[in-house]
């Protein structure tokens, strides 16, 4: 039971507005629908959900002077989206481009295990001492955060000295506030001692011992085991998204992050400039091909795909999960939220 079971009923693939609670597709009222032409196609999706593959495919198929394909919406594809992000003065001179958004998901069993194997931008969830992935029990029960670095604390003090009175108003990387993102600064570690291979691999030692060193540098890291190359991208650029309520608190587990991220991605259907949200599952694309998605995009944008659809594949790499891990996920995953995107609990 490692592929993740999907609902037998066809998934609701498109949303036209709707309430946050219901996510119900609204009937289109032609008298109030935005008549501007769709000029942007945006893909969003979590790490290890096939977004690199799908972005390239959509660029090959649709990117043109008529339709701009991007891997962001209001933020980069992996992160919480928000229509309340301050726009620059230049951006405020123009209305946001009318957009069709594509939200890509992968079943929770394979996604969590892929994140455990390569925890991109999540260095506290990688075993630095033994140079390998954490045991699944520790991975899923370790809060989704890390200790604040010396660089973050220095940056915060600087902003307070400049007149900021609350961490809610201190801006950090990716247009998050200090209470929404850890690390606040993009590169919190001193990389002057790192070898070029180390920096390019994106791996980094970010255990709490950084907090105990006066200079915050972490010491000499010029020699690295090849295991770090396989640890996943961005471990020197940590990006732990915190609860989006501004409390500064961390998610208790990666599965809590996932539930919040699903709801957040579904909510972009309500953004004024999003004309349609297409909900896509990685498994549907792999085992059913991309033709259905391409035809949907053609209908919503009026732009003809300039490519051949990717055909259905008979098999895909499947990560084997121990029965205990499947059982834990069955018990603690928010299955009500998973059902919104067509996934059901596996039977052991």
């Amino acid at each position: 039971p490692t592929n993740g079971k999907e609902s037998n009923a066809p998934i609701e693939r498109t949303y036209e507005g709707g309430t946050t609670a219901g996510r119900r597709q609204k009937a289109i009222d032609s008298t109030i629908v935005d008549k501007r032409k769709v000029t942007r196609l945006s893909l969003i999706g979590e790490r290890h959900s096939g977004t690199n593959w799908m972005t390239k495919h959509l660029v090959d198929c649709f990117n043109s002077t008529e339709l701009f394909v991007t891997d962001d919406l209001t933020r980069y594809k992996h992160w919480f989206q928000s229509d309340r992000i301050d726009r620059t003065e230049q951006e405020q001179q123009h209305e946001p481009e009318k957009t069709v958004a594509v939200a890509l998901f992968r079943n929770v069993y394979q996604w969590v295990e892929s994140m455990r194997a390569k925890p991109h931008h999540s260095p506290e969830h990688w075993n630095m001492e033994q140079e390998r992935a954490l045991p699944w029990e520790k991975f899923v029960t370790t809060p989704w955060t890390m200790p604040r670095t010396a660089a973050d604390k220095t940056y915060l003090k600087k902003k307070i000295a400049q007149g900021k009175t609350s961490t809610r108003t201190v801006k950090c990387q990716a247009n998050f506030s200090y209470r929404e993102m850890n690390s606040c600064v993009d590169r919190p570690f001193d990389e002057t001692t790192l070898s070029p291979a180390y920096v390019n691999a994106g791996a980094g030692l970010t255990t709490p011992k950084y907090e105990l060193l006066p200079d915050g540098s972490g010491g000499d890291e010029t020699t690295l085991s090849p295991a770090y190359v396989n640890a996943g991208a961005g471990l020197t650029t940590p990006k732990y998204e915190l609860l989006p309520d501004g409390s500064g608190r961390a998610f208790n587990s990666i599965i809590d992050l996932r539930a919040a991220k699903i709801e957040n991605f579904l909510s972009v259907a309500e953004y004024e400039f999003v004309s349609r949200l297409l909900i896509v599952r990685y498994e549907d694309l792999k085992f059913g091909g991309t033709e259905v998605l391409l035809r949907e995009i053609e209908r919503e944008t009026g732009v003809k795909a300039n490519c051949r659809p990717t055909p259905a594949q008979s098999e895909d790499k499947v990560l084997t999960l121990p029965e205990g891990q499947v059982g834990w996920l069955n018990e603690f995953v928010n299955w009500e939220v998973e059902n919104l995107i067509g996934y059901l609990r596996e039977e052991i």
Side-chain angles (χ1 to χ4, degrees):
T2 55
N3 273 333
K5 185 181 293 183
E6 292 120 31
S7 169
N8 293 326
I11 188 171
E12 288 284 348
R13 285 187 173 274
T14 60
Y15 290 81
E16 180 77 27
T19 63
T20 301
R23 316 282 186 223
R24 296 186 179 90
Q25 182 175 347
K26 286 186 176 179
I28 300 177
D29 184 342
S30 60
T31 64
I32 63 172
V33 168
D34 187 348
K35 296 297 185 181
R36 289 179 299 153
K37 179 178 174 61
V38 172
T39 57
R40 184 182 181 209
L41 177 63
S42 293
L43 179 77
I44 55 177
E46 256 290 3
R47 294 150 283 188
H48 295 296
S49 296
T51 57
N52 289 342
W53 162 58
M54 187 46 48
T55 298
K56 182 180 185 306
H57 187 47
L58 294 181
V59 167
D60 290 343
C61 294
F62 291 106
N63 201 48
S64 65
T65 56
E66 292 184 276
L67 189 64
F68 180 45
V69 179
T70 69
D71 57 0
D72 60 7
L73 188 60
T74 64
R75 290 190 178 109
Y76 185 57
K77 61 184 179 181
H78 295 326
W79 315 130
F80 282 114
Q81 305 298 307
S82 174
D83 60 352
R84 298 188 301 275
I85 295 175
D86 291 338
R87 300 169 65 208
T88 66
E89 186 174 332
Q90 182 178 3
E91 290 172 334
Q92 291 174 5
Q93 304 301 317
H94 309 280
E95 290 186 82
E97 293 179 274
K98 189 174 181 181
T99 302
V100 168
V102 178
L104 181 58
F105 300 97
R106 188 179 183 188
N107 84 76
V108 65
Y109 301 97
Q110 293 292 292
W111 181 75
V112 167
E113 184 61 6
S114 294
M115 284 291 290
R116 185 178 77 89
K118 290 192 176 185
H120 297 315
H121 301 289
S122 311
E124 201 69 11
H125 289 73
W126 176 257
N127 188 325
M128 299 299 178
E129 286 73 23
Q130 298 182 18
E131 303 176 356
R132 63 183 183 183
L134 295 178
W136 73 262
E137 299 94 335
K138 185 171 179 60
F139 180 79
V140 298
T141 58
T142 297
W144 199 250
T145 189
M146 58 180 275
R148 284 286 181 181
T149 63
D152 261 18
K153 294 174 182 177
T154 299
Y155 177 79
L156 179 60
K157 288 179 181 178
K158 177 181 177 181
K159 291 300 178 182
I160 292 174
Q162 292 174 348
K164 294 292 184 181
T165 58
S166 171
T167 51
R168 294 178 186 271
T169 59
V170 173
K171 288 189 176 182
C172 301
Q173 58 174 318
N175 275 314
F176 287 99
S177 77
Y178 195 89
R179 292 194 181 188
E180 295 172 325
M181 173 61 73
N182 186 10
S183 167
C184 182
V185 299
D186 182 43
R187 292 185 175 274
F189 307 116
D190 181 4
E191 296 182 5
T192 60
T193 61
L194 305 183
S195 70
Y198 179 75
V199 175
N200 294 336
L205 300 177
T206 57
T207 57
K209 61 187 176 184
Y210 272 108
E211 294 289 292
L212 304 178
L213 294 172
D215 63 358
S217 69
D220 184 9
E221 296 164 351
T222 56
T223 59
L224 288 172
S225 160
Y228 288 112
V229 177
N230 298 321
L235 296 188
T236 56
T237 56
K239 292 177 175 63
Y240 279 106
E241 295 168 287
L242 306 176
L243 289 170
D245 59 5
S247 65
R249 293 180 296 122
F251 290 100
N252 289 328
S253 169
I254 187 174
I255 63 169
D256 299 319
L257 170 74
R258 176 180 168 93
K261 191 68 66 74
I262 291 171
E263 293 190 310
N264 174 259
F265 283 178
L266 294 183
S267 75
V268 307
E270 300 166 23
Y271 294 0
E272 185 177 353
F273 63 92
V274 174
S275 66
R276 184 73 70 173
L277 171 64
L278 305 180
I279 309 300
V280 184
R281 297 181 301 202
Y282 172 84
E283 297 80 18
D284 294 336
L285 298 177
K286 278 291 183 178
F287 300 118
T290 64
E291 183 170 8
V292 171
L293 174 61
L294 299 187
R295 299 293 89 83
E296 286 181 311
I297 293 173
E298 287 178 341
R299 286 193 294 271
E300 297 301 330
T301 65
V303 177
K304 186 74 174 174
N306 186 30
C307 67
R308 291 184 179 180
T310 299
Q313 298 183 16
S314 59
E315 60 182 31
D316 189 30
K317 180 180 179 181
V318 175
L319 302 173
T320 302
L321 279 64
E323 187 173 301
Q325 184 176 356
V326 175
W328 190 94
L329 293 171
N330 282 351
E331 182 173 357
F332 294 108
V333 164
N334 188 331
W335 290 104
E336 183 177 343
V337 173
E338 294 289 333
N339 293 165
L340 295 175
I341 54 174
Y343 291 119
L344 299 177
R345 183 186 286 108
E346 280 284 358
E347 299 298 332
I348 298 180

